[in-house]
Amino acid sequence: MPAQGTPAQGTTAQGPVGGAEFPAYVVVKNGRLELRAGGRPLVDWPVNRVAVSPAGPTSAFVHGGAVLDGRFLTGVLLHLVTPDVLAAFLAVAQAGQQAAQPAAVGTSAPVWARGLATGADDDGAQAVRADCVLGDSVLELQARDDDARVLARFDLADPRLRVAGSAERFVIFDPEHGPVSVASDSEVFGRRLHAHPGVRAAAERTLATGGPYPAELAGGRPVACAVDAAALRVKGRGVRLRVPFAAIRAVEGTMAPAPESVAVDAATAEGVAAGGVAVPRASLRVATADTDLTVVGPLELIRALHTDVCAANYATEDPRRIPDMLRAAVGLEDDYFLYTIFGPFYELHAALRGDGTADGLGAPVTLPEDDEGRLRTAAALSEGLDELRRHLDQVGSVLPAFVRYRDAQVLAPAIGGRAEPDWLKAQESRLRAALAPAQRAAAETGALSAQVARLLDLDPSALPRPNYAGAALSLGAAFLNPVFLVSGASQAYNQYSQSEKRSAMMNAQSARGWAAVLDRWNTLVTSTLPVLGYVLTENLFDSRWETARRLTGALGATPPERRETAMRIVARRLARLDVLRRYPANAGIRLSRGEIAHYLRTARDSISTPRFVDF
């Protein structure tokens, strides 16, 4: 190989899992090392991100992460034709490494990025092709050209680092480099990036610390959003906005479709669609008389930003409004308890129906006519009912203590570190008694689950299972919905091989059994749960109203130096209760929590009641 760009013909490369070998050309040109076959590049590395060393008389090892045909490679062993070809290859490759700036070996993949400063007149809005290099402690974006300039470098151990998005499309931010959005073509590289502990820690820190929140504007430009005591601030390359709370006229949060593919020049696209991964996201619109701003990002992040905006806005109210705010929170708690306890039933019901909309909650689930459809229903019920039972166990054992803990946080400025008052301790036992209707739902769910188990004449583990990989790759999820598995039930439908044994379970007799199960399920969600929801909210009202009254009295006597803290805590409670009902539980669910609570109320009023004889 006498010159850069000259292929070493007859080269054999060994790299994928299992040590498979394939013939290829080795090309070193313009700061890149490629393996080519059939006129197309198979693997592509930046020269300054690999280490090349001899591995035998005619062999060389290229150490550096890359992706080949959906498989991740930690390196490739090249079997060259002759010792002379090996010597020429090593000379060219090592010369290219010496010419480039020093850089660590790392896992690299081509990505599309926005927010980078690539030129004097570049405002960061243009999507550019770059190498994303993931090392042990850094994530770097470098140019795909001769000089291999580092366009942005993020220290994954920096406590100021923030990340949000999915493994396929995310925004990363630190104060030095500003927000940068990255869209990867490679699912394998995305999974490796997602599994990196530094990236995971930054994603968790993003939600835990209340910002700054890395997101995108509606047009795709990356920004960082932060909320201070008086305004929402939005910053990015070419963007600097400050939206005072006093000027805000509307704040609207909705689920949004996945963003369109990043627009790139056809000559540089290399035949790859950039950023076209369908990742469920949400959007937040903030409007003033002069500004109409829409921020797009993952559901968890947009929900957190929406809560921060509303809480900071409420906190600007006069502290004398605290009693009104606590009473308003009690009214919103009805929704909270309804969707927290019974919402998962309706998420599963929507998955069984296949539409996922609030309009279908009152319609019954019917048994499909074909065996394949019946197997799908069996899979969803088998898994979903088990998750519902676990959820209701948590409602009885954990929810009362959790609510008491949240009440203690509201009370903290008033008691100043002293022990909780006796009336607050007594609230937990009252809550357990008020939640008794949930045990009726738990009993019916257990009976249904047992009936389903009797109908299954095969190992339940052999049924189709949902694939949650896509949802699990969400960066920044602070927690999973207790019935996260339910939300993915519909994903199971196309992920099994139907064997003769599975077909045998859907004979005429078992079909009648499944019809009975669905009839019982339909009765539960359309008639029983609305009544239980009514009883539960009636049971809870007196207790929660009394708690609000006592909290109001205690906070009214708060020392002046703690009143601002008390106001912020009450404002956050009101904001969180209001915002949570506007969004689904997670990105795999289309129903908002408020839609579920509204259905429970309207369904209760439409249920026919028995006629009692007067006395």
Side-chain angles (χ1 to χ4, degrees), residues 156 161-165 170-173 198-199 202-204 206 214 301 475-476:
L156 298 179
L161 187 70
R162 300 291 185 267
V163 182
F170 62 92
V171 180
I172 186 167
F173 165 81
V199 176
E204 293 167 2
T206 300
L301 181 133
L475 295 169

Side-chain angles (χ1 to χ4, degrees), residues 134-317:
L134 179 65
D136 292 337
S137 60
V138 296
L139 185 148
E140 293 184 343
L141 295 163
Q142 73 172 30
R144 292 172 59 88
D145 52 25
D146 288 333
D147 60 0
R149 290 176 298 116
V150 174
L151 303 174
R153 185 181 189 278
F154 299 95
D155 181 359
L156 298 179
D158 188 342
R160 301 172 301 171
L161 187 70
R162 300 291 185 267
V163 182
S166 70
E168 295 84 5
R169 185 187 184 101
F170 62 92
V171 180
I172 186 167
F173 165 81
D174 72 13
E176 278 73 25
H177 298 96
V180 176
S181 64
V182 179
S184 172
D185 320 312
S186 170
E187 180 182 353
V188 175
F189 178 74
R191 290 180 182 278
R192 193 169 186 84
L193 185 144
H194 172 267
H196 194 290
V199 176
R200 292 298 305 164
E204 293 167 2
R205 187 166 55 243
T206 300
L207 292 184
T209 57
Y213 298 108
E216 295 176 82
L217 297 182
R221 186 193 295 265
V223 293
C225 305
V227 178
D228 60 27
L232 166 67
R233 294 180 291 114
V234 181
K235 292 183 179 181
R237 194 172 299 280
V239 178
R240 185 175 292 269
L241 296 174
R242 184 179 184 276
V243 185
F245 296 134
I248 292 177
R249 298 291 179 265
V251 180
E252 302 169 356
T254 58
M255 287 297 293
E260 296 180 359
S261 297
V262 178
V264 294
D265 184 81
T268 61
E270 300 177 4
V272 181
V277 180
V279 179
R281 309 209 295 174
S283 66
L284 180 66
R285 175 177 173 264
V286 179
T288 69
D290 304 319
T291 305
D292 199 324
L293 175 71
T294 299
V295 178
V296 182
L299 172 63
E300 297 91 348
L301 181 133
I302 293 298
R303 193 164 54 203
L305 176 60
H306 192 170
T307 301
D308 282 358
V309 170
C310 290
N313 197 12
Y314 291 153
T316 61
E317 296 282 349

